[in-house]
Every structure is written in structure tokens, then in C-alpha cells.
Amino acid sequence: MISFSHVCKRYPGGKDALSDVSFEIHPGELVFLTGHSGAGKSTLLKLIMLMERATSGQVVVNGRNTQRLGRAKVPHHRRHIGVVFQNHQLLFDRTVYDNVALPLQIAGFGLRDTGRRVRAALDKVGLLHKEKHLPIALSGGEQQRVGIARAIVNKPPILLADEPTGNLDPALSAEIMNLFEQFTEVGVTTLIASHDHALIKRMNKRVMALQEGSLVYDDFLPAKEPAQ
Ligand SMILES: Nc1ncnc2c1ncn2[C@@H]1O[C@H](COP(=O)(O)OP(=O)(O)OP(=O)(O)O)[C@@H](O)[C@H]1O
Ligand SMILES: [Mg+2]
């Protein structure tokens, strides 16, 4: 579903943000991406959604070699990828409904289809009753869930999240993670960049760790020692 083969990314004038990174993520997997600040997590996500291009190596997403995708094909590529940011980037002058409807409007869905899909997405994140609210009237966790509804409203096969729980307390973070887990149960491939080690440990999923641009760990975390 997502495969990196010997990928390097060097920003203009900078050092290597990613060097010789190889991995494969299969359909329906949920994988955490961790590592210190500046390790290359966001860069790796940007290569998948083609916000950046690899300097060398191969990035294959959804069966497509992204190197061969010209600029004109990028919007179509992104339609297959839902993206959740830490600062959720909601439009504060539009209602919850309008925020979630945005990707569908861009993709040219009709009004009726849009309504059906937006309400289904809001229902999934438990915010159907707030569709007419402005984001300012919602809590941080609710705003984050609107961001998630917007990311999944198009039913993308891939979901990327960059520090989706960065601003949330532990209870809300756990709630958001449960949501992601539910999506993977219906086959969505999910990659979540996160600093939150306690949360990652609890989730018991595959973890990829970056260190200064190199992939230094790619496995499930070892099980806890049984209490004596
Ligand atoms: N547009 C850019 N131009 C030049 N250098 C960049 C650019 N974006 C990121 N970098 C550099 O690439 C490296 C990796 O950055 P990246 O944002 O991928 O790290 P990160 O793991 O997401 O960090 P954080 O946890 O702080 O979000 C850093 O050294 C950063 O300074
Ligand atoms: Mg980052």
C-alpha cells in the first residue's frame, strides 16, 4: 500500500532529512511513526502525499510510483489520502458541516451525496449534533475530531496523521486513537506520527522509529515484563 525503497530526501541547502529509508506498509495496517524533533517524521508523511518529492529512491503509494506522477496528477493522488494535522487547520468562519464538506466540494460531489457523506463522517466521530456550530464553539478534542471527519469523508484508503493528539489530554488522545483503530478495522491503512510514547505503548501496534533521518526500528514493541 505504501512502500519506500532506499528513499533519501535532502532539502535545498540542508542536510539529509531522510536517508536510505525502506519499509512496506500493508493495506489495513496501523503503524506509528516516532522519533525526536527533526528526525524526519513530517518529511516522510509529506513524501507520501507528494507535498515533497524524494531526492532519490522509490516511493510507491497505492500501487503508483509517485516519482512518475506529474504535477497535474497530484490532486488526484491526494484524493486517496486523508490527512490529519495537529493544528487541524479548520476554517473558523465556516460551520462544522462546511469544514467537513470541503474535500467533497473540491472533488465535485453533488449536494445530496455531500450531505449523506458529511453526516456519516460526523456520526463516526460522534459530532453529528454539532454540524451547525462554528469550530470556535468546540473544545480542542472536538475540533480535532472535525479534522478527522474531514480527512475520512472522502473514504480514502490511506490516512496520515501528524501529531494528531499533540494538544490533547490523555483521555481525549485515547479516544482519538480508538477512532483511528476503528478505521483500520474497515481496511483503511493508517500512519500516525507521534511523540506520545505512553500512548504508542498502550496501542500495541507496529512502530517505526526515525533517528536523524534513518529508520532505526521497525517492529512491534517488546511485551512488558510480567509483574513480579
Ligand atoms: N522545507 C524545509 N526546508 C529545509 N529543511 C527542512 C524543511 N522541512 C524540514 N526540514 C528539516 O528536515 C529535518 C526533518 O524535519 P521534519 O519536519 O521532517 O522532522 P519531524 O520529525 O517532523 O520533527 P518534529 O517532531 O519537530 O515535527 C529537520 O532537520 C528540518 O529542519
Ligand atoms: Mg513534524
Side-chain angles (χ1 to χ4, degrees), residues 48 62 125 139:
I48 297 170
N62 226 347
V125 300
S139 72

Side-chain angles (χ1 to χ4, degrees), residues 100-117:
V100 176
L102 208 62
L104 299 176
Q105 283 163 359
I106 292 168
F109 281 84
L111 270 184
R112 225 167 159 187
D113 218 10
T114 298
R116 205 167 44 75
R117 283 171 180 250

Side-chain angles (χ1 to χ4, degrees), residues 1-7 21-32 44 48 58-63 158 189-191 206-208 215 217-220:
M1 198 72 186
I2 302 174
S3 120
F4 275 46
S5 176
H6 303 291
V7 171
V21 172
S22 299
F23 63 84
E24 205 161 317
I25 299 177
H26 299 106
E29 257 194 293
L30 189 160
V31 180
F32 284 100
L44 192 151
I48 297 170
Q58 220 180 48
V59 177
V60 178
V61 180
N62 226 347
I158 296 173
T189 309
T190 307
L191 181 56
R206 176 177 164 193
V207 176
M208 301 201 303
L215 190 60
Y217 188 88
D218 183 1
D219 204 344
F220 286 79

Side-chain angles (χ1 to χ4, degrees), residues 12-57:
K15 57 178 175 59
D16 287 354
L18 291 176
S19 40
D20 199 23
V21 172
S22 299
F23 63 84
E24 205 161 317
I25 299 177
H26 299 106
E29 257 194 293
L30 189 160
V31 180
F32 284 100
L33 181 60
T34 182
H36 60 86
S37 179
K41 303 180 294 297
S42 298
T43 299
L44 192 151
L45 298 181
K46 285 175 183 169
L47 291 179
I48 297 170
M49 60 176 132
L50 286 183
M51 274 171 75
E52 295 287 350
R53 299 272 186 168
T55 311
S56 62

